[in-house]
């Protein structure tokens, strides 16, 4: 940049009519230095494309140097930090793009640049977090927590709504005390109150949430489904495979008996009683029919069990997803009981072992936790809405229409298939339609009040949490990253967390930090870009002497 500024000053002075000697003297550089700067650029690699003359002139200006720095930071940011590739891939990009004619593309130079970049990312993210925390409104948190075991054990916790990573803490223990201390350190300086924790049924996590945080523990629905699947899926699949094998063997035996009868009648025979082919064929046919029925029953058992496991996800909602009506805890308990009753009947018909039935009974005990979560949800919703002190008609509209509509919209956004997604969005719009009529009492409120009611309703809809998938997905990402790099250094871990919170955006254009702190923030990339040093210029490449063959004759 200093070189570009001096050259620009000399060129500007010469355009104003000054001689080169006077211009150089005014810029504070020697003429020999200027001649060295104006010398032909460094020799590019043979495979690198020649840079256009206009581009070569542009990158010698201050604006060009700023552009080069942005390109280099973006290359490291996208290729190495977010993409997971190494420094050598960035070097290869610089060579192939021709930028190595202007930027030093050696491994040493780029490795030092990346080290500086990672340190600046961590620093800038910490400063952004501190600045945003000072102005954030108070929030009630539903956190998702779990451990990951890649490259040592880490305690991972995220805000389930915004997907903001609160902690990724190395720990030698996963006790309640370890979890509580790690979370207290992570929440320091944040204006938040933890009211709910979603995780598996580990005793340490249960004590951490219920005893230390005095919050509600919400059982992860996936773990219930996984427990049921462990109890039934493999055994039912094996039974179906055995039934298919038995059916094939019975059918083959029937075909053999039929073929034997045909072969017997094609030959000439002497006196004597012929074999009882009819009885043999009837017996084989009966066995084949019985095997087919057993195979169909095994297939039906497996298909029904799979559908019942998936039905847990459709049933476990505060507002049933067919009509959008509120579901009472008693109704949820009855529906979950119906599912388990049928699963137990299938286990009885399939003659599953006592050990597998014990697994199924263990999963059934988790239904009380699901019912408790639904009770907690409606208690919190009623408390939040009553605190607004609204007119009875508006309060009832919040509870019966607005909050259910926003919840259904969130369920639709998470749906992976188009048909239920469109149906749920239409149902949500149907629940919102009466509230949008000019005659509805809620329309008599001013715009700011309506906006506040929408915000509160959205927060209420987000209170129902039944999954810790945000943490599970994060753990999977770290596992893939560690698999490709063999290790995950503490600095790289902090960089990945900073990028997740402050750089990666959802389709709506918001980062996790923007959703968590409820306020926009400056671009992390721009913050880091201003802190980075200017790119190193390429060194002149010296030709290497050709390597001599080992068997060159030596003069006598």
């Amino acid at each position: 940049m200093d070189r570009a500024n001096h050259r620009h000053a000399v060129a500007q002075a010469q355009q104003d009519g000054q001689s080169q000697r006077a211009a150089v003297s005014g810029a504070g550089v020697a003429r020999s230095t200027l001649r060295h700067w104006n010398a032909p650029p460094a020799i590019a690699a043979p495979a690198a494309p020649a840079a256009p003359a206009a581009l070569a002139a542009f990158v010698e200006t201050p604006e060009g140097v700023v552009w080069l720095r942005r390109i280099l930071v973006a290359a490291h940011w996208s290729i190495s930090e977010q993409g997971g590739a190494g420094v050598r891939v960035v070097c290869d990009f610089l060579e192939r793009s021709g930028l190595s004619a202007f930027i030093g593309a050696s491994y040493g130079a780029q490795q030092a640049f990346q080290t500086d970049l990672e340190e600046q990312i961590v620093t800038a993210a910490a400063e952004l977090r501190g600045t945003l925390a000072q102005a954030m409104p108070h929030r009630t948190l539903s956190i998702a927590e779990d451990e990951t075991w890649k490259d040592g054990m880490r305690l991972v916790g995220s805000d389930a709504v915004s997907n903001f990573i609160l902690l990724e803490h190395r720990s030698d223990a996963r006790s309640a005390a370890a979890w509580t201390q790690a979370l207290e350190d992570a929440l320091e300086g944040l204006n938040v109150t933890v009211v709910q924790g979603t995780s598996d049924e580990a005793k340490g996590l249960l004590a951490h949430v219920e005893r230390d945080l005095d919050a509600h523990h919400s059982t992860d629905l996936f773990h219930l489904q996984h427990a049921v699947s462990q109890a039934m899926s493999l055994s039912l699949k094996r039974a179906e495979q055995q039934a298919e094998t038995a059916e094939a063997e019975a059918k083959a035996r029937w075909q053999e008996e039929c073929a034997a009868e045909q072969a017997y009648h094609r030959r000439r025979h002497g006196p004597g009683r012929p074999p009882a082919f009819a009885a043999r064929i009837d017996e084989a046919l009966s066995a084949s029919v019985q095997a087919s029925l057993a195979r169909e029953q095994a297939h039906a058992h497996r298909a029904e069990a799979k559908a019942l496991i998936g039905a847990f996800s459709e049933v476990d909602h505060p507002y049933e997803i067919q009509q959008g009506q509120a579901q009472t805890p008693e109704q949820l308990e009855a529906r979950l009981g119906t599912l388990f009753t049928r699963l137990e009947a299938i286990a009885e018909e399939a003659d599953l072992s006592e050990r597998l039935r014990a697994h199924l009974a263990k999963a059934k005990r988790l239904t009380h936790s699901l019912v408790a979560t639904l009770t907690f949800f409606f208690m919190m919703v009623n408390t939040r809405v009553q605190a607004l002190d609204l007119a009875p008609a508006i309060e009832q509209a919040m509870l019966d229409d607005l909050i259910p509509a926003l919840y259904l919209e969130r369920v639709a956004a998470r749906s992976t298939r188009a048909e239920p997604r469109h149906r749920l969005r239409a149902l949500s719009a149907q629940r919102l339609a009466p509230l949008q009529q000019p005659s509805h009492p809620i329309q008599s409120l001013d715009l700011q009040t309506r906006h506040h009611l929408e915000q509160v309703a959205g927060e209420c809809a987000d209170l129902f949490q039944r999954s810790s998938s945000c943490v599970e997905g994060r753990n999977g990402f770290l596992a893939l990253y560690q698999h490709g790099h063999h290790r995950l250094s503490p600095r790289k871990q902090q960089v990945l967390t900073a990028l997740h919170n402050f750089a990666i955006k959802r389709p709506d254009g918001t980062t996790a930090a923007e959703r968590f702190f409820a306020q926009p923030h400056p671009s992390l990339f721009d913050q880091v870009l201003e802190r980075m040093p200017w790119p190193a210029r390429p060194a002149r490449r010296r030709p290497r002497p050709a390597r001599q063959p080992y068997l060159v004759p030596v003069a006598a």
Side-chain angles (χ1 to χ4, degrees):
M1 177 57 76
D2 289 340
R3 178 184 300 194
N5 286 330
H6 285 308
R7 292 184 62 178
H8 178 71
V10 171
Q12 190 64 41
Q14 287 182 311
Q15 289 181 2
D16 294 341
Q18 296 184 23
S19 63
Q20 186 187 64
R21 184 183 300 275
V24 168
S25 177
V29 294
R31 295 181 67 188
S32 58
T33 302
L34 182 63
R35 285 195 297 269
H36 171 70
W37 289 347
N38 291 329
I43 302 174
L55 177 61
F58 170 69
V59 297
E60 294 295 339
T61 65
E63 295 82 2
V65 176
V66 171
W67 177 79
L68 281 178
R69 182 174 67 171
R70 174 176 284 273
I71 291 295
L72 183 58
V73 172
H76 279 278
W77 188 288
S78 299
I79 296 174
S80 185
E81 304 303 341
Q82 287 192 222
V87 177
R88 297 191 188 279
V89 181
V90 179
C91 298
D92 184 66
F93 164 76
L94 296 176
E95 294 284 357
R96 294 181 184 276
S97 64
L99 293 174
S100 58
F102 316 114
I103 300 174
S106 66
Y107 178 84
Q110 295 308 315
Q111 196 273 340
F113 191 87
Q114 179 173 310
T115 300
D116 198 358
L117 175 65
E118 292 182 346
E119 292 175 352
Q120 296 297 341
I121 288 175
V122 174
T123 302
E127 293 177 358
L128 273 178
R129 175 180 172 131
T131 303
L132 294 173
Q134 294 177 1
M136 74 175 299
H138 180 265
R139 286 198 56 205
T140 56
L141 292 188
S142 297
I143 58 173
E145 296 173 318
D146 198 8
E147 308 92 2
T148 183
W149 301 90
K150 294 299 180 181
D151 196 20
M153 186 173 67
R154 286 182 175 87
L155 307 181
V156 184
S158 297
D159 174 33
V161 178
S162 66
N163 200 23
F164 184 86
I165 297 176
L166 295 167
L167 73 148
E168 283 181 328
H169 175 68
R170 283 179 174 268
S171 176
D172 296 328
R174 49 176 176 165
S175 61
W179 270 108
T180 302
Q181 184 60 50
L183 186 62
E184 286 179 356
D185 296 341
L187 297 181
E188 185 178 359
L190 300 179
N191 187 20
V192 297
T193 301
V194 178
V195 297
Q196 182 177 209
T198 305
S199 68
D200 54 29
E201 295 297 306
K203 293 182 179 179
L205 281 169
L206 285 173
H208 156 65
V209 173
E210 296 178 345
R211 183 193 65 199
D212 298 345
L213 300 181
D214 193 22
H216 170 74
H217 179 267
S218 175
T219 297
D220 193 329
L221 178 64
F222 166 78
H223 289 88
L224 182 146
Q225 293 176 304
H226 182 63
V228 175
S229 180
Q230 279 187 318
M232 305 192 68
S233 297
L234 183 59
S235 181
L236 293 178
K237 180 180 180 181
R238 187 183 296 114
E240 183 181 10
Q241 291 174 339
Q242 292 173 350
E244 290 174 351
T245 302
E247 181 187 23
E249 292 175 351
K251 186 176 181 179
R253 183 190 169 198
W254 172 66
Q255 292 174 345
E256 289 174 359
E257 295 294 346
C258 293
E261 181 186 25
Q262 294 175 359
Y264 178 83
H265 290 300
R266 284 196 298 266
R267 299 193 304 269
R268 298 176 63 88
H269 301 282
R273 181 180 298 175
F277 287 111
R280 295 179 184 179
I281 291 174
D282 288 343
E283 181 183 357
L285 180 59
S286 177
S288 177
V289 171
Q290 293 298 325
S292 296
L293 293 176
R295 192 266 308 163
E296 292 176 0
Q297 185 181 32
H299 176 75
H301 282 161
R302 185 186 175 196
E304 185 179 4
K306 183 178 180 181
L308 290 171
I309 293 173
F312 283 107
S313 179
E314 298 179 359
V315 168
D316 188 26
H317 290 283
Y319 307 99
E320 52 92 14
I321 59 176
Q322 300 302 324
Q323 301 297 329
Q325 300 295 330
Q327 179 175 219
T328 65
E330 293 75 18
Q331 290 174 331
L332 175 61
E333 187 174 15
R335 289 168 180 168
L336 293 174
T338 301
L339 295 178
F340 272 105
T341 298
R342 184 53 195 151
L343 287 170
E344 290 169 345
I346 293 175
E348 182 73 24
E349 295 170 6
D351 195 21
L352 298 187
S353 66
E354 291 297 328
R355 180 180 63 85
L356 296 180
R357 295 187 192 183
H359 280 298
L360 184 60
K362 181 180 179 181
K364 185 178 181 180
R365 289 195 292 270
L366 295 178
T367 57
H368 299 294
S369 298
L370 301 184
V371 174
T373 296
L374 188 64
T375 304
F376 166 80
F377 170 78
F378 282 117
M379 179 192 69
M380 291 292 295
V381 167
N382 290 329
T383 301
R384 291 290 303 274
V385 174
Q386 290 174 4
L388 297 175
D389 194 21
L390 301 171
I394 298 178
E395 180 177 310
Q396 200 65 31
M398 287 273 293
L399 295 173
D400 294 345
D401 294 309
L402 184 56
I403 296 176
L406 297 186
Y407 178 82
L408 293 173
E409 184 179 346
R410 283 156 171 74
V411 177
R414 292 192 293 266
S415 179
T416 58
R417 294 182 294 121
E419 188 275 328
R421 182 167 61 248
H422 296 329
R423 184 182 61 79
L424 288 170
R425 284 176 176 168
L427 184 58
S428 174
Q430 180 182 347
R431 301 304 298 269
L432 286 174
L435 308 183
Q436 297 169 344
Q437 299 300 320
S439 58
H440 196 279
I442 205 169
Q443 294 298 327
S444 62
L445 303 174
D446 59 87
L447 180 61
Q448 184 177 359
T449 303
R450 293 200 303 270
H451 178 73
H452 179 64
L453 293 184
E454 289 183 16
Q455 180 182 354
V456 172
E459 293 173 356
C460 289
D462 290 329
L463 278 171
F464 186 79
Q465 296 295 331
R466 61 176 193 175
S467 173
S468 60
S469 58
C470 56
V471 172
E472 301 289 355
R474 177 63 177 178
N475 292 346
F477 170 80
L478 293 180
L480 289 175
Y481 198 98
Q482 189 266 354
H483 179 74
H485 291 260
H486 307 293
R487 62 184 297 270
L488 196 60
S489 67
R491 186 182 68 204
K492 180 64 74 172
Q493 169 74 65
Q494 293 174 338
V495 169
L496 294 177
T497 304
L499 295 179
H500 175 95
N501 286 339
F502 295 95
I504 298 176
K505 296 182 178 180
R506 283 183 178 174
D508 61 2
T510 62
T511 63
E514 187 173 347
R515 297 186 296 271
F516 179 78
F517 292 103
Q519 53 186 305
H521 61 82
S523 168
L524 179 66
F525 179 84
D526 293 338
Q527 295 278 311
V528 172
L529 180 63
E530 295 300 324
R531 303 164 183 252
M532 291 301 296
W534 302 107
R537 295 182 63 86
R540 289 185 175 274
R541 302 200 178 196
R542 301 175 181 85
R544 294 186 178 182
R547 185 174 182 178
Q548 295 295 330
Y550 290 106
L551 301 180
V552 173
V554 180

